[in-house]
C-alpha cells in the first residue's frame, strides 16, 4: 500500500520553462481578482461597526448597541438585515460562478475576468452612493456577481500559466491579493471612520472601484492561457503564447501534452454530468470538501466581524478597528510564508501544521472568552492583559490559516482537476466555498448570541475533522505537472480503486497519439 499522501513515483515529466517576467506580470495582474474579493471581505465588518452607518441604515442595531449597555454583549449585533448586508454578496457570487463556468470554457478565462471587473465596478458605485438599505443590498449583489466570475477564472488562469515548478507560489498570488485586499479595507476603515460628518463609510464602500478598475483594465491586456486557446481550437496562437510565457523556442513537449489533454477532454460532452462518474470521485471530494472545510475553520468570523467581535469583547470602536488592522497584517505576512514554502515543504505539511495550530488557538480563545464573559455575556471590567492575550491568539490562529487553508483552499482544487472537468469542477469549488461563506456570515452573529464562547469550540471540532481528511485522503501535489495529476490518484491508497483501467488506458492511448502529434 502506498504511503498515505505519498508522492507518486511515476514517469515524471520535466517541462522546461522559466519564471519569465512575462509570467510574473501576467500573474500579478490576474491576481488582482483576489484584491476585489479581499476588499469586500474586509470592508463590511468595519463599516457595520461605524455608528453613522448603523444609524442611517440599521437604527435598531444602533440602539441596541448604545441604549442599554447592560444587555448581553454576545447579542448586541444580532440583526437579520445587518447579516443580510454582509452575506448577500456570497449568495450572488455562488450563482454567478456557475454561469462563469460556461463563459470561461467557451470564451476563455479572460472574458470572465473582464466581466468580473465590470460588475464589481457597478456594485461599488451603487454602494458608495447608497441612500437606502435596498441600494446597499443590490450593490452587494452586483459585487457578488463580480466575485463569482473572478474567483472562477483567476485561479484557473494562474495555475495554467505558471510553469509547474512554481505553480504553487504563483497561484498563491491570488490568496496574497485577497489578504492585501482585506488589509487595505481594514486600514481604510480605520481612517475613514474618523472623518467628521460621519460619511466615511461611503468612501470605504465606494473605494472598491479602485481594485475593480485594476482588474478590468488588466484583463484587457492579459493573454489567454494556452490551455484555453487549444481548447477553443486556436492551435498556432496557443503555441506562440506558450513560447512567450515560457521564454523558450522549443515548447513542443508541453504543447503536445496540452493538445492531448484537450483532445481527451473534447470526448467529454457533458462536463457537468460527467462529474458524477466514478473516476471523478476523488476530484469531487476535493471540489466539495476543501472549500467546505476552508469555511468551517471559522476564519470569516474573524475576517468579516473582527471589529464587531473585538467590540463585543470590550474594545472601544477605535481599538476594534485597530485590532483588525493587526490581524489583517498578520494575514498578509503569513501568506508570504506559504508562498515561500508551498513548493518546498508541500501542501500536506502546511495543511497539517496549520490545522494543529488553529485548533490550539481556538481552544485558548474559547477558554479566555468563557472565563470572562461566562454564559450571561457580562464581563464587568476587562483588564488590559486579557485583551492582549485574546488578540495574540487570534493572530496566531489567523497566521495558521493564512499559510494553510487560506491559500491551499484555492490552490489545491485548481491543480487537481483534469482539463475535461476543470472549469465545471472549479465552479463547484467556488460555489461550495460561497455557500458556506454565506452560511457562516449569515449565522455567525446569531451563533455568537446563542453558542457564546462555545462558537470557537464548534469550529475547533471541524478543524479536527478536516485535519484527519487531509492526513488520509489528500495526496501530495507539489511539483507534479498539472496534466500529470492522474498519476497521483492512481497511486493513492484509497482513491486508486476509483481510477479505472479504461481511464488509464485512455491516457496511454492519448500519449501514443501525442508522439504522432510531435511530428506534425
Ligand atoms: C477565503 C476567504 C477568507 C480569506 C481570508 C480566503 O482564502 O476563501 O473566505 O476570508 O481567505 O484571508
Amino acid at each position: 500500500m502506498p504511503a498515505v499522501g505519498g508522492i507518486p513515483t511515476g514517469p515524471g515529466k520535466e517541462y522546461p520553462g522559466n519564471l519569465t517576467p512575462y509570467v510574473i506580470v501576467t500573474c500579478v495582474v490576474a491576481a488582482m481578482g483576489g484584491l476585489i474579493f479581499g476588499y469586500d471581505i474586509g470592508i463590511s465588518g468595519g463599516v457595520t461597526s461605524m455608528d453613522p452607518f448603523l444609524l442611517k441604515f440599521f437604527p435598531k442595531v444602533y440602539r441596541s448597541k448604545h441604549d442599554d449597555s447592560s444587555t448581553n454583549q454576545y447579542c448586541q449585533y444580532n440583526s437579520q438585515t445587518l447579516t443580510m448586508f454582509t452575506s448577500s454578496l456570497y449568495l450572488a457570487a455562488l450563482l454567478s460562478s456557475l454561469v462563469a463556468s460556461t463563459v470561461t470554457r467557451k470564451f476563455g478565462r479572460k472574458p470572465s475576468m473582464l466581466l468580473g471587473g465590470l460588475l464589481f465596478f457597478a456594485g461599488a458605485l451603487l454602494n458608495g452612493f447608497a441612500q437606502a438599505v435596498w441600494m446597499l443590498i443590490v450593490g452587494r449583489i452586483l459585487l457578488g456577481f463580480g466575485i463569482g466570475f473572478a474567483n472562477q477564472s483567476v485561479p484557473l488562469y494562474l495555475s495554467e500559466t505558471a510553469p509547474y515548478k512554481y505553480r504553487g507560489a504563483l497561484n498563491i498570488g491570488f490568496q496574497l491579493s485577497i489578504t492585501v485586499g482585506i488589509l487595505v479595507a481594514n486600514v481604510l476603515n480605520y481612517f475613514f471612520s474618523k472623518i467628521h460628518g460621519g460619511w466615511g463609510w461611503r468612501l470605504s464602500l465606494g473605494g472598491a472601484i479602485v481594485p475593480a478598475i485594476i482588474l478590468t483594465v488588466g484583463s484587457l491586456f492579459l493573454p489567454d492561457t494556452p490551455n484555453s486557446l487549444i481548447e477553443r481550437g486556436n492551435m498556432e496562437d496557443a503555441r506562440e503564447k506558450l513560447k512567450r510565457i515560457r521564454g523558450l523556442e522549443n515548447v513542443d513537449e508541453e504543447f503536445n501534452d496540452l493538445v492531448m489533454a484537450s483532445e481527451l477532454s473534447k470526448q467529454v460532452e457533458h462536463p457537468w454530468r460527467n462529474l458524477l462518474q466514478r473516476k471523478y470521485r476523488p476530484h469531487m471530494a476535493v471540489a466539495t470538501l476543501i472549500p467546505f472545510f476552508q469555511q468551517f475553520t471559522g476564519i470569516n468570523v474573524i475576517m468579516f466581524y473582527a471589529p464587531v467581535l473585538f467590540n463585543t469583547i470590550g474594545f472601544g470602536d477605535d481599538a476594534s478597528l485597530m485590532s483588525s488592522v493587526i490581524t489583517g497584517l498578520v494575514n498578509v505576512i503569513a501568506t508570504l510564508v506559504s508562498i515561500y514554502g508551498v513548493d518546498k515543504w508541500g501542501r500536506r505539511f502546511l495543511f497539517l501544521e496549520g490545522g494543529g495550530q488553529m485548533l490550539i488557538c481556538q481552544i485558548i480563545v474559547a477558554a479566555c472568552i468563557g472565563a470572562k464573559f461566562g454564559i450571561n455575556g457580562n464581563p464587568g471590567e476587562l483588564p488590559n492583559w486579557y485583551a492582549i492575550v485574546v488578540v495574540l491568539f487570534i493572530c496566531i490562529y489567523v497566521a495558521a490559516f493564512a499559510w494553510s487553508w487560506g491559500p491551499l483552499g484555492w490552490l489545491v482544487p485548481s491543480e487537481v482537476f483534469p482539463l475535461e472537468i476543470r472549469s465545471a469542477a472549479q465552479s463547484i469549488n467556488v460555489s461550495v466555498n460561497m455557500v458556506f461563506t454565506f452560511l457562516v456570515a449569515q449565522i455567525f452573529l446569531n451563533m455568537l448570541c446563542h453558542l457564546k464562547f462555545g462558537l470557537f469550540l464548534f469550529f475547533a471540532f471541524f478543524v479536527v475533522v478536516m485535519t484527519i481528511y487531509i492526513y488520509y485522503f489528500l495526496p501530495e501535489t507539489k511539483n507534479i505537472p498539472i496534466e500529470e495529476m492522474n498519476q497521483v490518484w492512481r497511486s493513492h491508497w484509497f482513491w486508486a480503486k476509483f481510477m479505472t483501467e479504461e481511464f488509464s488506458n485512455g491516457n496511454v492511448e492519448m500519449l501514443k497519439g501525442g508522439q504522432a502529434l510531435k511530428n506534425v
Side-chain angles (χ1 to χ4, degrees):
M1 183 175 98
V4 173
I7 305 174
T9 48
K13 288 221 170 166
E14 292 274 330
Y15 303 124
N18 304 319
L19 204 51
T20 54
Y22 191 74
V23 169
I24 296 178
V25 172
T26 303
C27 290
V28 167
V29 178
M32 287 303 125
L35 203 71
I36 58 177
F37 184 38
Y39 190 82
D40 256 297
I41 292 170
I43 215 73
S44 45
V47 165
T48 52
S49 73
M50 292 181 196
D51 282 346
F53 177 83
L54 287 179
L55 198 60
K56 185 167 173 67
F57 296 108
F58 306 97
K60 255 170 77 188
V61 181
Y62 177 82
R63 278 197 298 277
S64 99
K65 187 177 161 195
H66 289 277
D67 291 356
D68 184 4
S69 54
S70 72
T71 50
N72 186 340
Q73 294 290 307
Y74 289 127
C75 298
Q76 59 173 340
Y77 283 97
N78 192 7
S79 145
Q80 278 309 316
T81 7
L82 185 62
T83 1
M84 205 54 206
F85 165 71
T86 303
S87 57
S88 53
L89 181 148
Y90 300 94
L91 213 54
L94 157 79
L95 296 178
S96 74
S97 70
L98 297 175
V99 180
S101 159
T102 315
V103 177
T104 304
R105 186 162 42 86
K106 293 225 168 102
F107 304 104
R109 283 60 174 139
K110 225 174 103 128
S112 282
M113 288 194 252
L114 179 63
L115 216 63
L118 289 173
L119 286 164
F120 200 78
F121 183 80
L125 273 189
L126 204 60
N127 266 353
F129 290 106
Q131 294 300 333
V133 176
W134 73 263
M135 287 177 80
L136 283 182
I137 299 201
V138 173
R140 292 283 288 176
I141 291 176
L142 285 173
L143 295 176
F145 284 146
I147 286 173
F149 274 95
N151 283 19
Q152 201 275 342
S153 50
V154 171
L156 287 189
Y157 188 94
L158 291 171
S159 279
E160 290 180 345
T161 308
Y164 76 95
K165 280 195 187 145
Y166 305 101
R167 189 179 60 236
L170 288 177
N171 186 287
I172 296 180
F174 179 65
Q175 175 70 15
L176 184 67
S177 58
I178 295 180
T179 60
V180 170
I182 297 176
L183 177 64
V184 170
N186 289 342
V187 172
L188 292 183
N189 273 340
Y190 179 77
F191 287 110
F192 291 158
S193 71
K194 294 185 186 310
I195 291 180
H196 287 295
W199 48 271
W201 60 269
R202 288 196 185 279
L203 290 182
S204 294
L205 294 180
I209 58 170
V210 177
I213 291 172
I214 301 179
L215 181 69
T216 310
V217 176
S219 70
L220 289 174
F221 291 101
L222 290 180
D224 226 323
T225 64
N227 317 47
S228 169
L229 288 168
I230 292 172
E231 201 178 16
R232 288 176 290 132
N234 304 329
M235 297 302 176
E236 274 326 296
D237 201 7
R239 190 192 285 274
E240 286 312 306
K241 288 274 148 54
L242 191 61
K243 281 186 193 163
R244 253 166 76 197
I245 295 174
R246 298 285 176 256
L248 295 166
E249 262 312 298
N250 187 352
V251 289
D252 287 354
E253 185 174 11
E254 185 175 2
F255 181 75
N256 290 335
D257 284 355
L258 290 178
V259 172
M260 260 187 284
S262 168
E263 290 300 321
L264 199 62
S265 80
K266 291 234 174 74
Q267 297 166 5
V268 174
E269 278 172 18
H270 305 284
W272 290 99
R273 207 182 307 154
N274 240 21
L275 291 175
L276 300 176
Q277 291 176 18
R278 191 177 147 82
K279 67 186 179 199
Y280 295 127
R281 287 295 140 75
H283 311 89
M284 286 310 286
V286 168
T288 50
L289 289 178
I290 296 272
F292 164 76
F293 284 143
Q294 190 205 48
Q295 290 308 314
F296 274 79
T297 54
I299 187 65
N300 281 326
V301 163
I302 312 290
M303 293 302 145
F304 298 155
Y305 298 115
V308 168
L309 189 76
F310 288 131
N311 218 227
T312 302
I313 60 175
F315 291 30
D317 284 354
D318 213 36
S320 303
L321 287 173
M322 196 60 216
S323 317
S324 62
V325 171
I326 296 173
T327 49
L329 204 62
V330 170
N331 197 16
V332 174
I333 295 170
T335 307
L336 295 173
V337 174
S338 194
I339 292 187
Y340 174 80
V342 70
D343 293 319
K344 284 199 179 71
W345 312 320
R347 284 63 166 150
R348 281 170 52 84
F349 171 79
L350 288 171
F351 267 130
L352 297 174
E353 192 285 334
Q357 189 172 323
M358 283 193 287
L359 181 64
I360 295 170
C361 294
Q362 283 165 322
I363 293 173
I364 294 177
V365 171
C368 286
I369 297 185
K372 281 286 172 194
F373 286 75
I375 302 292
N376 62 17
N378 228 329
E381 267 307 296
L382 287 168
N384 240 347
W385 64 263
Y386 173 82
I388 294 174
V389 170
V390 173
V391 172
L392 182 72
F393 280 96
I394 288 185
C395 284
I396 302 177
Y397 160 84
V398 169
F401 175 87
W403 61 55
S404 61
W405 281 90
L408 301 179
W410 295 106
L411 169 66
V412 170
S414 80
E415 66 186 6
V416 298
F417 307 137
L419 186 65
E420 67 269 19
I421 56 162
R422 193 171 297 155
S423 190
Q426 173 68 358
S427 295
I428 296 205
N429 174 39
V430 178
S431 338
V432 174
N433 197 304
M434 294 303 144
V435 172
F436 291 105
T437 309
F438 169 78
L439 215 76
V440 170
Q442 190 69 28
I443 60 179
F444 164 71
L445 293 176
N446 202 278
M447 273 168 79
L448 181 65
C449 182
H450 293 107
L451 286 182
K452 307 174 168 77
F453 59 88
L455 177 66
F456 295 91
L457 299 178
F458 170 84
F459 288 117
F461 165 77
F462 283 98
V463 169
V464 172
V465 178
M466 67 187 77
T467 307
I468 295 174
Y469 162 76
I470 296 293
Y471 185 76
Y472 287 105
F473 299 105
L474 191 82
E476 181 57 69
T477 48
K478 84 165 175 193
N479 290 343
I480 313 267
I482 197 164
E483 310 305 345
E484 297 278 299
M485 214 46 93
N486 273 326
Q487 191 61 30
V488 168
W489 301 109
R490 257 185 255 129
S491 47
H492 187 269
W493 72 275
F494 179 78
W495 296 117
K497 57 176 175 279
F498 292 87
M499 310 306 286
T500 50
E501 268 308 294
E502 159 250 330
F503 193 56
S504 351
N505 285 345
N507 260 354
V508 171
E509 289 309 312
M510 291 312 294
L511 278 171
K512 284 186 195 146
Q515 294 302 324
L517 267 168
K518 269 188 189 162
N519 306 325
V520 174

